[in-house]
Amino acid sequence: MSVSSNDHSSGRKSLPELAPLEAVLFDIDGTLCDSDPIHYHAFREMFIEIGYNNGIPITEDFYAENISGKHNDYLGKALFPDWSFEKCAKFLDDKEASFRRLAPQQLKAVNGLYKLCKWIEDHGLKCAAVTNAPRLNAELMISILGLSDFFQVIVLGCECERAKPFPDPYLRALKELNASPKHTVVFEDSVSGIEAGVAAGLPVVGVTTRNPEQSLIDAGASLLIKDFEDPKLWTALEASLKQE
């Protein structure tokens, strides 16, 4: 699901061009924490229970291509085109409840997250979490990570007119933070999230937690990093503070 078929490569903005950096916007799932394995497990087990795909367990590749980063309203229609809205919603609500049962024991921060958070605080930057996750999931993950007091704003796709891959959630975050798109960077791990950031006119750093690197580049990422310890990130961040 793409908001545009245009090639974003010619319009990619580098982090140094944002100087002086003013705000940082984070996706949650797969960006702050490596949550995809938990989501994958929950989906796989529930799909088996209902005989989805003739009872053959879904693969991680299927999950990455068809589920990761996408909003539940879209997923219901895509995965179960013959089901009623109510039946889809019930299945996905049950899946999210399964995720929340598993998350406290399994959720871990992406390497270097707390180093980056301290850097953001030390430089007095504005910060928001922007997610397609349901509110209960978003608040639980942020709490488990110990970041409940870190984010000034939390924007949910389900509370916007359109969720990612549309730009609405990122545009709302900019508005609520009173931040300029010319001085704001996004961190994302999924194609739909990167497309949303790019559509909002923002440079996006792609975190290669689980999704194929080429797909993140094709979606319009300005920079790819393995995690928040990546030297490429820190070189770019330091440059983004310096105004020519």
Side-chain angles (χ1 to χ4, degrees):
M1 182 181 183
S2 175
V3 294
S4 172
S5 60
N6 294 334
D7 176 18
H8 301 298
S9 59
S10 61
R12 293 182 216 266
K13 190 185 294 184
S14 68
L15 269 67
E17 292 178 76
L18 300 175
L21 186 63
E22 175 186 357
V24 182
L25 310 181
F26 287 95
D27 173 50
I28 300 179
D29 276 299
T31 301
L32 297 179
C33 49
D34 189 11
S35 53
D36 268 358
I38 309 174
H39 285 291
Y40 167 65
H41 176 80
F43 268 112
R44 186 188 63 192
E45 296 308 305
M46 290 187 64
F47 280 151
I48 290 171
E49 287 177 15
I50 64 170
Y52 187 83
N53 193 32
N54 295 318
I56 301 169
I58 62 167
T59 63
E60 291 189 41
D61 286 345
F62 177 91
Y63 173 85
E65 184 174 341
N66 297 284
I67 297 175
S68 179
K70 297 180 173 63
H71 189 260
N72 276 356
D73 286 351
Y74 167 79
L75 283 178
K77 297 171 188 174
L79 296 170
F80 309 111
D82 298 328
W83 284 18
S84 68
F85 175 82
E86 291 75 18
K87 188 174 182 181
C88 289
K90 174 67 166 59
F91 177 89
L92 292 167
D93 284 349
D94 289 346
K95 177 261 152 186
E96 301 302 354
S98 175
F99 171 83
R100 289 192 293 273
R101 286 193 298 272
L102 296 167
Q105 292 78 38
Q106 300 182 28
L107 198 71
K108 291 181 174 60
V110 169
N111 288 341
L113 174 63
Y114 299 113
K115 175 183 176 182
L116 178 56
C117 290
K118 184 177 186 304
W119 185 89
I120 289 168
E121 289 181 328
D122 288 348
H123 289 90
L125 304 180
K126 300 174 183 178
C127 196
V130 183
T131 179
N132 270 355
R135 179 168 290 278
L136 288 176
N137 288 28
E139 292 178 346
L140 176 64
M141 287 185 283
I142 288 172
S143 175
I144 292 171
L145 294 169
L147 297 177
S148 296
D149 297 326
F150 176 70
F151 293 106
Q152 293 145 333
V153 169
I154 298 175
V155 176
L156 305 179
C158 61
E159 295 179 0
C160 298
E161 184 173 343
R162 301 174 300 179
K164 304 174 192 178
F166 294 97
D168 305 40
Y170 281 114
L171 294 175
R172 175 178 288 190
L174 289 172
K175 184 177 180 181
E176 293 193 16
L177 287 175
N178 191 27
S180 166
K182 295 180 180 179
H183 303 290
T184 300
V185 66
V186 170
F187 286 92
E188 273 281 1
D189 76 300
S190 71
V191 168
S192 67
I194 292 173
E195 288 179 340
V198 170
L202 300 166
V204 183
V205 177
V207 186
T208 60
T209 323
R210 296 278 168 181
N211 293 308
E213 292 188 12
Q214 190 60 48
S215 68
L216 305 186
I217 293 170
D218 292 345
S222 298
L223 173 70
L224 294 187
I225 59 172
K226 179 177 180 289
D227 54 32
F228 300 118
E229 296 280 5
D230 196 315
K232 295 195 302 293
L233 171 64
W234 290 97
T235 299
L237 285 176
E238 292 300 333
S240 74
L241 293 174
K242 300 170 184 173
Q243 191 168 18
E244 296 297 332

